[in-house]
């Protein structure tokens, strides 16, 4: 119970620092913008603090009877979690090398296999449709600057977004 409480406290401190930084955002001066530049980040921060308070209260009510720590998790589940954390870390590291489109395609194809999906045709379609949808939505519709990669991947990304 104590490690979870310490984690909640550190996370709440990080959210409070986030709220302080969000509150210092300059106002745009636009009369139609009712929330201002800091409105949405402040709402997210307050929601995070409320969720953190609820989780901490539940943890304190349950006490040691909860048994929800990582040490009580069965070994195969722990391995699965560590494999997926490794996959996510690899995805993040490959974003700047392979670019968003290729990295996302690979991640969406490989990640479901760790959960037991083995139909390669469906996985291929899922990965292809998912990565195309994410590139179109974020790269084309919202104009988010996505990582392009290096070398040939950079050149190919200019054809896509």
């Amino acid at each position: 119970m104590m490690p979870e409480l310490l984690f909640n406290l550190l996370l709440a401190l990080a959210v409070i620092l986030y709220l302080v930084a969000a509150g210092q955002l300059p106002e745009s001066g636009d009369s139609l913008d009712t929330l201002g530049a800091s409105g949405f980040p402040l709402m997210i921060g307050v929601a995070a603090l409320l969720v953190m308070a609820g989780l901490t209260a539940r943890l304190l009510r349950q006490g040691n009877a909860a048994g929800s720590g990582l040490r009580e998790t069965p070994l195969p589940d722990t391995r699965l979690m560590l494999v997926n954390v490794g996959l996510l870390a690899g995805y993040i590291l490959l974003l700047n090398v392979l670019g968003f489109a290729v990295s996302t395609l690979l991640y969406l194809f490989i990640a479901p296999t760790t959960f037991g999906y083995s139909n390669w045709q469906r996985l291929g379609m899922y990965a292809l449709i998912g990565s195309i949808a994410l590139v179109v939505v974020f790269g084309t519709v919202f104009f988010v600057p996505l990582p392009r990669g290096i070398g040939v991947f950079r050149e190919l990304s200019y054809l896509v977004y």
Side-chain angles (χ1 to χ4, degrees):
M1 182 170 93
M2 196 62 181
E4 290 91 354
L5 285 175
L6 181 62
F7 176 75
N8 287 356
L9 179 66
L10 291 174
L11 192 58
L13 181 63
V15 171
I16 289 170
L17 291 174
Y18 165 80
L19 283 171
V20 169
Q24 295 174 352
L25 290 172
E27 294 301 322
S28 64
D30 187 5
S31 63
L32 296 176
D33 190 8
T34 57
L35 293 177
S38 62
F40 188 70
L42 287 174
M43 289 187 328
I44 296 294
V46 169
L49 278 179
L50 290 174
V51 168
M52 185 61 54
L55 289 174
T56 304
R58 185 177 71 180
L59 181 67
L60 290 173
R61 267 194 318 267
Q62 291 176 346
N64 286 334
S68 64
L70 185 59
R71 285 172 279 189
E72 289 84 16
T73 304
L75 192 58
D77 292 342
T78 304
R79 284 190 190 136
L80 181 64
M81 180 194 66
L82 292 175
V83 165
N84 280 292
V85 167
L87 277 174
L88 190 58
Y91 169 70
I92 292 170
L93 290 174
L94 287 177
L95 274 175
N96 288 327
V97 177
L98 300 179
F100 182 80
V102 176
S103 296
T104 303
L105 179 73
L106 289 173
Y107 180 76
L108 289 179
F109 186 78
I110 295 170
T113 61
T114 63
F115 294 106
Y117 293 104
S118 60
N119 188 335
W120 300 108
Q121 290 88 12
R122 285 189 180 177
L123 281 174
M125 290 302 295
Y126 164 72
L128 187 65
I129 292 170
S131 61
I132 288 172
L134 287 170
V135 167
V136 167
V137 167
F138 290 108
T140 308
V141 176
F142 292 133
F143 299 110
V144 174
L146 302 173
R148 294 194 176 273
I150 58 174
V152 68
F153 298 109
R154 183 174 184 80
E155 301 302 323
L156 289 174
S157 71
Y158 283 112
L159 297 174
V160 178
Y161 57 95

